[in-house]
Amino acid sequence: MSDVLPRIKDLKLRMQQSIIGQEDVIDRLIIGLLANGNLLVEGLPGLAKTRAIKALANNLQADFSRIQFTPDLLPSDVTGTDVYHQSGGSGTFRFEPGPIFANIVLADEINRAPAKVQAALLEAMEERQVTVSGTTHKMEPLFMVMATQNPVEQEGTYPLPEAQMDRFLMHVLISYPPVEDEVQVIRLVRGEEGSALRPAEQKSDLNEGEENNNSARVTQETVFSARCEIADIHVSEPIERYMADLVYATRTPELYSEDLRRWIEVGASPRASIALDKCSRTHAWLAGRDYVDPMDVQAIANDVFRHRLTLSFEADGDGISPDKVVDEIVTQVALP
């Protein structure tokens, strides 16, 4: 491995300074960045979903944009629109880019907007471009959407369309932190509030430290170099077959167990196979290996599958979660 991996590990350490007790979430955000995919981060309000994504963006030399989704949001509020400009007795339409044109896009509470607005993201997420008034506008080489979502049971939310869900590389869940970590959260926020209240003359030294932090941010070239190394990670034929078998098990659950047959209504698409491959190679690279083993695949299986499975009414009635279904699939499918 080159010196790129230590820089990425330093990025993780920097994120951990502002995100307490969510190490798995930080790992998944970094995997999404290096695997060049879009992430859906879900959790109850107040569990640092937005803060975690901002922590990633703040430690990258990249443009960051935040879109707060609301029920009255319009598609043009996301993608941008053509605006008429008049000068010297003549006028012309010019495209004014929307907030989607950034390197890291935070789609905050994406399920608070209706499907029409959510669909405005589809082309950008899949094709890395936006078409407005028949003209296509390309995104930057470094582009990813990180969307946050409150559980659909919360009032005032809309379930995301299945086609849009499938375009997220991973579906990351954030849970409550342990009580020991919550004490650290209290101390962290108290310190941040104290820093914000200091007089201007006392902040000069802090600003110098912030400038040093800016110079230490991970560059886009580092991210691209990491992606090149990840592309060279070896995946053996048995591991490839293992990933395909896991996906195939979601489509033919009756061949594996009676429980899976009752629980799964619709299986995962080929995007699940592609996501397993990308995320497994990234997981192996972050572990300092140049090959993928079954543990890499199993480590990210839940994040790749949980939003791509449609469970039956029977499973919903029995309180069966997607994670329980994925765990059963991993148990039933033979290791290579």
Side-chain angles (χ1 to χ4, degrees):
M1 296 290 177
S2 69
D3 62 344
V4 177
L5 181 57
R7 297 181 206 168
I8 298 299
K9 288 189 174 181
D10 183 64
L11 168 64
K12 177 179 177 179
L13 292 176
R14 289 175 176 274
M15 293 178 64
Q16 288 175 333
Q17 293 175 4
S18 58
I19 304 297
I20 306 297
Q22 300 289 359
E23 185 172 350
D24 286 345
V25 174
I26 293 174
D27 285 339
R28 296 312 185 261
L29 294 182
I30 293 176
I31 289 175
L33 172 70
L34 300 181
N36 194 21
N38 307 296
L39 296 188
L40 178 62
V41 184
E42 180 175 334
L44 292 169
L47 294 185
K49 300 184 297 296
T50 301
R51 185 184 180 96
I53 296 171
K54 282 185 174 180
L56 174 63
N58 289 339
N59 286 285
L60 291 173
Q61 290 184 8
D63 294 330
F64 173 72
S65 177
R66 179 176 182 266
I67 308 173
Q68 180 63 53
F69 280 69
T70 58
D72 60 346
L73 200 69
L74 298 175
S76 58
D77 295 329
V78 174
T79 62
T81 187
D82 289 328
V83 177
Y84 186 74
H85 291 266
Q86 188 170 8
S87 177
S90 62
T92 182
F93 282 95
R94 299 179 195 165
F95 178 68
E96 295 291 340
I100 193 67
F101 287 89
N103 300 122
I104 306 293
V105 178
L106 168 57
D108 212 359
E109 295 187 298
I110 188 174
N111 61 332
R112 292 207 175 275
K116 186 175 182 180
V117 176
Q118 294 166 3
L121 282 174
L122 285 179
E123 184 182 12
M125 291 170 58
E126 184 72 9
E127 305 296 336
R128 300 297 201 268
Q129 66 183 30
V130 165
T131 302
V132 177
S133 300
T135 302
T136 299
H137 306 273
K138 297 288 186 179
M139 302 298 184
E140 294 293 328
L142 178 61
F143 170 78
M144 64 182 304
V145 174
M146 291 190 173
T148 69
Q149 170 177 278
N150 293 327
V152 295
E153 292 81 12
Q154 297 293 308
E155 183 178 358
T157 61
Y158 302 81
L160 297 182
E162 286 79 2
Q164 185 172 0
M165 291 287 284
D166 199 28
R167 282 168 170 81
F168 286 105
L169 182 74
M170 291 189 293
H171 181 188
V172 182
L173 296 183
I174 296 185
S175 57
Y176 291 115
V179 63
E180 295 83 3
D181 290 333
E182 194 134 2
V183 172
Q184 297 298 322
V185 170
I186 294 172
R187 294 172 180 171
L188 174 65
V189 175
R190 182 194 301 142
E192 291 176 345
E193 291 177 346
S195 298
L197 294 174
R198 285 191 176 93
E201 58 271 12
Q202 296 183 15
K203 292 183 180 180
S204 57
D205 294 337
L206 296 177
N207 291 336
E208 292 179 4
E210 184 176 347
E211 291 177 1
N212 293 332
N213 179 67
N214 291 339
S215 63
R217 288 178 177 179
V218 174
T219 64
Q220 295 188 30
E221 289 73 20
T222 298
V223 175
F224 296 143
S225 297
R227 290 177 179 177
C228 289
E229 293 187 5
I230 291 168
D232 293 332
I233 295 294
H234 177 68
V235 184
S236 65
E237 186 174 343
I239 295 294
E240 292 174 339
R241 181 56 188 262
Y242 179 55
M243 291 188 285
D245 285 343
L246 288 173
V247 177
Y248 185 72
T250 70
R251 302 169 188 165
T252 57
E254 67 279 358
L255 300 180
Y256 292 88
S257 77
E258 178 61 23
D259 284 338
L260 289 177
R261 184 196 66 80
R262 292 187 297 106
W263 293 342
I264 299 178
E265 187 74 23
V266 180
S269 75
R271 285 195 182 98
S273 303
I274 297 171
L276 276 178
D277 176 60
K278 287 183 176 181
C279 296
S280 297
R281 284 187 283 112
T282 305
H283 191 274
W285 183 83
L286 288 170
R289 285 182 278 104
D290 61 357
Y291 63 92
V292 174
D293 67 20
M295 297 304 102
D296 295 312
V297 181
Q298 294 178 359
I300 50 84
N302 289 78
D303 302 282
V304 168
F305 280 127
R306 66 167 56 103
H307 60 301
R308 291 185 164 95
L309 299 180
T310 302
L311 303 188
S312 65
F313 288 110
E314 185 174 356
D316 290 337
D318 292 341
I320 303 299
S321 68
D323 282 349
K324 181 174 178 60
V325 176
V326 176
D327 291 341
E328 178 67 15
I329 290 173
V330 172
T331 301
Q332 292 294 331
V333 175
L335 289 169

